Amino acid sequence: RKFPAMMTRFALMSAVLSSASAFVAFPGVVGATRPARKSGVQCMSGGGDGGKTALCILAPGFEEMEAVSPIDLLRRAGVEVTTAALTTDLTVKGRNGISVLADTDLDSALKLRESYDAVIVPGGPPAVPSNGLLKGDERVLSLLNKQMDAGRVVSAICAAPSVLAEAGVLAGKKYTAHFSVEEFVPDMDKTSAVVIDGNLITSQGAGTGTEFGLALIEQLVDKKTADDVAASICWKR
Protein backbone atom coordinates (compact mmCIF):
# COMPACT_ATOMS: atom_id res chain seq x y z
CA ARG A 1 0.00 0.00 0.00
CA LYS A 2 2.93 2.35 0.63
CA PHE A 3 4.50 1.56 -2.73
CA PRO A 4 2.70 4.27 -4.80
CA ALA A 5 3.62 6.93 -2.26
CA MET A 6 7.24 5.82 -2.31
CA MET A 7 7.23 5.99 -6.09
CA THR A 8 5.76 9.49 -5.98
CA ARG A 9 8.50 10.66 -3.60
CA PHE A 10 11.12 9.02 -5.79
CA ALA A 11 9.79 10.70 -8.92
CA LEU A 12 9.72 14.06 -7.14
CA MET A 13 13.29 13.64 -5.93
CA SER A 14 14.44 12.70 -9.46
CA ALA A 15 12.79 15.80 -10.89
CA VAL A 16 14.49 18.03 -8.31
CA LEU A 17 17.89 16.50 -8.99
CA SER A 18 17.41 16.86 -12.73
CA SER A 19 16.45 20.51 -12.46
CA ALA A 20 19.43 21.21 -10.20
CA SER A 21 21.89 20.03 -12.83
CA ALA A 22 23.80 22.88 -14.49
CA PHE A 23 23.21 21.53 -17.94
CA VAL A 24 21.37 23.19 -20.82
CA ALA A 25 20.39 21.20 -23.89
CA PHE A 26 19.36 22.91 -27.11
CA PRO A 27 17.47 20.32 -29.17
CA GLY A 28 18.56 19.57 -32.72
CA VAL A 29 17.34 21.20 -35.88
CA VAL A 30 14.48 18.75 -36.25
CA GLY A 31 13.11 19.31 -32.74
CA ALA A 32 9.39 19.56 -32.09
CA THR A 33 7.64 22.90 -32.00
CA ARG A 34 6.53 24.09 -28.58
CA PRO A 35 3.04 25.61 -28.22
CA ALA A 36 2.69 29.25 -29.23
CA ARG A 37 2.91 31.76 -26.41
CA LYS A 38 -0.18 33.81 -25.62
CA SER A 39 1.54 36.89 -27.00
CA GLY A 40 1.33 35.31 -30.43
CA VAL A 41 5.09 34.75 -30.69
CA GLN A 42 5.90 31.20 -31.73
CA CYS A 43 8.42 29.54 -29.44
CA MET A 44 10.44 27.11 -31.52
CA SER A 45 12.65 24.19 -30.56
CA GLY A 46 15.45 23.97 -33.06
CA GLY A 47 14.14 26.42 -35.60
CA GLY A 48 11.54 27.57 -38.02
CA ASP A 49 9.75 26.21 -41.03
CA GLY A 50 12.25 26.59 -43.84
CA GLY A 51 12.85 30.32 -43.23
CA LYS A 52 16.02 31.98 -42.01
CA THR A 53 18.95 30.04 -40.55
CA ALA A 54 21.72 30.90 -38.11
CA LEU A 55 24.87 29.18 -36.89
CA CYS A 56 26.15 29.85 -33.36
CA ILE A 57 29.71 28.70 -32.64
CA LEU A 58 30.31 27.37 -29.12
CA ALA A 59 33.95 27.20 -28.05
CA PRO A 60 35.00 25.83 -24.63
CA GLY A 61 34.78 28.67 -22.10
CA PHE A 62 32.27 30.73 -24.10
CA GLU A 63 30.26 33.40 -22.26
CA GLU A 64 26.92 31.69 -21.61
CA MET A 65 24.63 34.75 -21.67
CA GLU A 66 26.09 35.91 -24.95
CA ALA A 67 25.22 32.62 -26.62
CA VAL A 68 22.00 31.54 -24.92
CA SER A 69 20.28 34.94 -25.23
CA PRO A 70 20.49 35.21 -29.03
CA ILE A 71 19.85 31.47 -29.52
CA ASP A 72 16.71 31.61 -27.39
CA LEU A 73 15.37 34.82 -28.91
CA LEU A 74 16.02 33.76 -32.50
CA ARG A 75 14.22 30.46 -31.94
CA ARG A 76 11.27 32.32 -30.47
CA ALA A 77 11.19 34.27 -33.73
CA GLY A 78 11.15 31.07 -35.79
CA VAL A 79 14.76 31.25 -36.99
CA GLU A 80 16.39 27.83 -37.40
CA VAL A 81 19.45 28.06 -35.15
CA THR A 82 22.17 25.41 -35.27
CA THR A 83 24.54 25.36 -32.30
CA ALA A 84 27.96 24.04 -33.27
CA ALA A 85 30.72 22.95 -30.89
CA LEU A 86 34.17 24.11 -31.96
CA THR A 87 35.54 20.68 -31.02
CA THR A 88 34.08 17.19 -31.47
CA ASP A 89 32.85 17.20 -27.86
CA LEU A 90 29.23 18.35 -28.12
CA THR A 91 28.98 19.10 -24.40
CA VAL A 92 30.53 22.56 -24.22
CA LYS A 93 31.22 24.08 -20.82
CA GLY A 94 30.97 27.86 -20.57
CA ARG A 95 33.16 30.18 -18.52
CA ASN A 96 30.77 29.99 -15.55
CA GLY A 97 30.50 26.21 -15.49
CA ILE A 98 27.20 25.92 -17.37
CA SER A 99 27.35 23.17 -19.99
CA VAL A 100 25.40 23.38 -23.23
CA LEU A 101 24.73 20.39 -25.45
CA ALA A 102 25.40 21.58 -28.99
CA ASP A 103 23.37 20.32 -31.94
CA THR A 104 26.50 19.24 -33.77
CA ASP A 105 30.20 20.04 -34.18
CA LEU A 106 31.48 22.80 -36.46
CA ASP A 107 32.78 20.51 -39.21
CA SER A 108 29.42 18.74 -39.42
CA ALA A 109 27.52 22.04 -39.34
CA LEU A 110 29.50 23.32 -42.30
CA LYS A 111 28.65 20.13 -44.20
CA LEU A 112 25.01 20.23 -43.13
CA ARG A 113 24.35 23.47 -45.01
CA GLU A 114 26.14 25.24 -47.81
CA SER A 115 25.51 28.51 -46.01
CA TYR A 116 23.69 30.13 -43.09
CA ASP A 117 21.87 33.45 -43.14
CA ALA A 118 23.75 34.49 -39.99
CA VAL A 119 26.85 33.42 -38.10
CA ILE A 120 27.00 34.24 -34.39
CA VAL A 121 30.27 34.32 -32.41
CA PRO A 122 29.81 34.67 -28.63
CA GLY A 123 32.59 36.12 -26.50
CA GLY A 124 34.30 34.86 -23.39
CA PRO A 125 37.87 33.56 -22.91
CA PRO A 126 38.11 31.69 -26.28
CA ALA A 127 37.46 35.01 -28.07
CA VAL A 128 40.11 36.90 -26.11
CA PRO A 129 43.19 37.46 -28.32
CA SER A 130 45.60 36.23 -25.63
CA ASN A 131 43.68 32.94 -25.52
CA GLY A 132 43.59 32.66 -29.29
CA LEU A 133 41.28 29.64 -29.51
CA LEU A 134 38.84 31.21 -31.97
CA LYS A 135 41.19 33.53 -33.84
CA GLY A 136 43.58 30.61 -34.37
CA ASP A 137 40.93 28.40 -35.96
CA GLU A 138 41.17 28.65 -39.74
CA ARG A 139 37.65 27.22 -40.17
CA VAL A 140 36.21 30.12 -38.20
CA LEU A 141 38.23 32.77 -40.04
CA SER A 142 37.37 31.28 -43.43
CA LEU A 143 33.67 31.06 -42.54
CA LEU A 144 33.59 34.70 -41.43
CA ASN A 145 35.26 35.84 -44.64
CA LYS A 146 32.90 33.85 -46.86
CA GLN A 147 29.91 35.10 -44.88
CA MET A 148 30.95 38.74 -45.22
CA ASP A 149 31.84 38.43 -48.91
CA ALA A 150 28.41 36.92 -49.61
CA GLY A 151 26.64 39.75 -47.80
CA ARG A 152 25.16 37.46 -45.18
CA VAL A 153 24.95 38.45 -41.51
CA VAL A 154 28.15 38.31 -39.48
CA SER A 155 27.66 38.92 -35.76
CA ALA A 156 29.86 38.95 -32.67
CA ILE A 157 29.59 40.11 -29.08
CA CYS A 158 31.94 41.10 -26.25
CA ALA A 159 35.52 40.05 -27.08
CA ALA A 160 34.47 38.23 -30.27
CA PRO A 161 34.73 41.30 -32.55
CA SER A 162 38.48 40.90 -32.08
CA VAL A 163 38.11 37.54 -33.87
CA LEU A 164 36.33 39.38 -36.70
CA ALA A 165 39.27 41.80 -36.79
CA GLU A 166 41.65 38.85 -37.13
CA ALA A 167 39.54 37.61 -40.04
CA GLY A 168 39.78 41.04 -41.65
CA VAL A 169 36.02 41.65 -41.87
CA LEU A 170 35.89 44.84 -39.78
CA ALA A 171 37.77 47.02 -42.27
CA GLY A 172 35.71 50.08 -43.15
CA LYS A 173 32.89 49.01 -40.83
CA LYS A 174 31.35 50.56 -37.72
CA TYR A 175 31.34 48.23 -34.73
CA THR A 176 31.46 47.90 -30.97
CA ALA A 177 33.04 45.41 -28.54
CA HIS A 178 33.89 44.91 -24.89
CA PHE A 179 36.23 47.54 -23.44
CA SER A 180 38.76 44.83 -22.51
CA VAL A 181 39.71 44.26 -26.16
CA GLU A 182 39.89 47.91 -27.20
CA GLU A 183 43.60 47.49 -27.93
CA PHE A 184 42.72 45.07 -30.73
CA VAL A 185 39.67 46.96 -32.05
CA PRO A 186 40.68 50.60 -31.39
CA ASP A 187 38.02 52.15 -33.63
CA MET A 188 35.12 50.62 -31.77
CA ASP A 189 32.03 52.58 -30.75
CA LYS A 190 32.26 52.81 -26.94
CA THR A 191 28.75 54.15 -26.35
CA SER A 192 26.36 51.84 -28.23
CA ALA A 193 25.09 48.52 -26.86
CA VAL A 194 24.63 47.20 -30.40
CA VAL A 195 26.05 48.52 -33.66
CA ILE A 196 24.62 47.50 -37.02
CA ASP A 197 26.52 48.33 -40.19
CA GLY A 198 25.05 46.60 -43.20
CA ASN A 199 25.37 42.86 -42.63
CA LEU A 200 27.62 43.31 -39.58
CA ILE A 201 26.10 43.22 -36.07
CA THR A 202 28.28 43.67 -32.99
CA SER A 203 27.53 44.14 -29.30
CA GLN A 204 29.35 45.02 -26.08
CA GLY A 205 28.94 42.13 -23.67
CA ALA A 206 26.82 39.79 -21.56
CA GLY A 207 24.57 42.61 -20.38
CA THR A 208 23.70 43.54 -23.96
CA GLY A 209 22.95 39.98 -25.07
CA THR A 210 19.20 40.52 -25.26
CA GLU A 211 19.53 43.64 -27.42
CA PHE A 212 22.00 41.71 -29.56
CA GLY A 213 19.50 38.88 -30.07
CA LEU A 214 16.65 41.26 -30.87
CA ALA A 215 18.86 43.09 -33.40
CA LEU A 216 19.53 39.75 -35.09
CA ILE A 217 15.77 39.08 -35.28
CA GLU A 218 15.16 42.50 -36.79
CA GLN A 219 17.87 41.89 -39.39
CA LEU A 220 16.89 38.32 -40.26
CA VAL A 221 13.09 38.54 -39.93
CA ASP A 222 11.64 42.01 -39.39
CA LYS A 223 11.18 44.74 -36.79
CA LYS A 224 7.63 43.71 -35.90
CA THR A 225 8.75 40.21 -34.98
CA ALA A 226 11.61 41.64 -32.91
CA ASP A 227 9.16 43.94 -31.13
CA ASP A 228 6.70 41.06 -30.54
CA VAL A 229 9.41 38.85 -29.06
CA ALA A 230 10.62 41.74 -26.88
CA ALA A 231 7.08 42.31 -25.61
CA SER A 232 6.62 38.60 -24.89
CA ILE A 233 9.59 38.64 -22.49
CA CYS A 234 8.63 42.03 -20.96
CA TRP A 235 11.62 43.74 -22.57
CA LYS A 236 11.20 47.45 -23.32
CA ARG A 237 12.80 48.60 -26.56
Side-chain angles (χ1 to χ4, degrees):
R1 293 178 182 178
K2 295 182 179 180
F3 185 73
M6 292 176 62
M7 287 298 292
T8 301
R9 288 196 294 271
F10 178 76
L12 180 60
M13 185 179 296
S14 298
V16 170
L17 289 173
S18 297
S19 64
S21 174
F23 187 85
V24 179
F26 285 105
V29 171
V30 238
T33 301
R34 297 191 187 102
R37 292 177 177 267
K38 290 182 179 179
S39 64
V41 177
Q42 187 76 6
C43 183
M44 307 297 294
S45 172
D49 52 1
K52 297 295 185 176
T53 60
L55 175 68
C56 184
I57 301 172
L58 301 178
F62 72 97
E63 182 68 62
E64 294 95 334
M65 290 175 66
E66 296 166 5
V68 174
S69 290
I71 292 168
D72 178 286
L73 293 169
L74 284 166
R75 288 184 171 181
R76 288 171 189 259
V79 175
E80 188 173 298
V81 184
T82 299
T83 55
L86 190 69
T87 70
T88 55
D89 186 354
L90 300 189
T91 302
V92 190
K93 183 180 286 188
R95 69 171 298 170
N96 297 302
I98 301 172
S99 293
V100 171
L101 178 61
D103 295 316
T104 187
D105 62 86
L106 184 57
D107 284 333
S108 298
L110 296 177
K111 293 174 183 176
L112 178 66
R113 289 186 179 277
E114 187 175 323
S115 63
Y116 292 84
D117 294 304
V119 170
I120 306 164
V121 187
V128 174
S130 59
N131 178 301
L133 186 59
L134 283 167
K135 79 169 189 176
D137 194 308
E138 289 300 325
R139 298 171 302 169
V140 174
L141 302 184
S142 175
L143 173 62
L144 293 171
N145 270 287
K146 290 177 181 177
Q147 191 79 0
M148 182 60 73
D149 290 345
R152 294 187 291 269
V153 174
V154 172
S155 64
I157 183 170
C158 195
S162 66
V163 179
L164 272 53
E166 183 70 20
V169 301
L170 293 183
K173 293 282 191 178
K174 295 177 182 178
Y175 58 87
T176 189
H178 194 268
F179 58 81
S180 64
V181 293
E182 183 179 356
E183 175 187 352
F184 304 95
V185 283
D187 298 324
M188 73 179 195
D189 180 336
K190 301 177 185 178
T191 61
S192 302
V194 177
V195 173
I196 302 172
D197 187 352
N199 62 321
L200 177 68
I201 303 177
T202 51
S203 190
Q204 291 180 326
T208 63
T210 299
E211 283 293 349
F212 179 55
L214 292 171
L216 279 161
I217 293 173
E218 191 166 331
Q219 191 86 340
L220 291 173
V221 188
D222 54 43
K223 185 178 186 302
K224 182 182 183 305
T225 302
D227 288 343
D228 287 347
V229 170
S232 77
I233 62 170
C234 302
W235 185 270
K236 295 182 180 180
R237 299 192 80 197

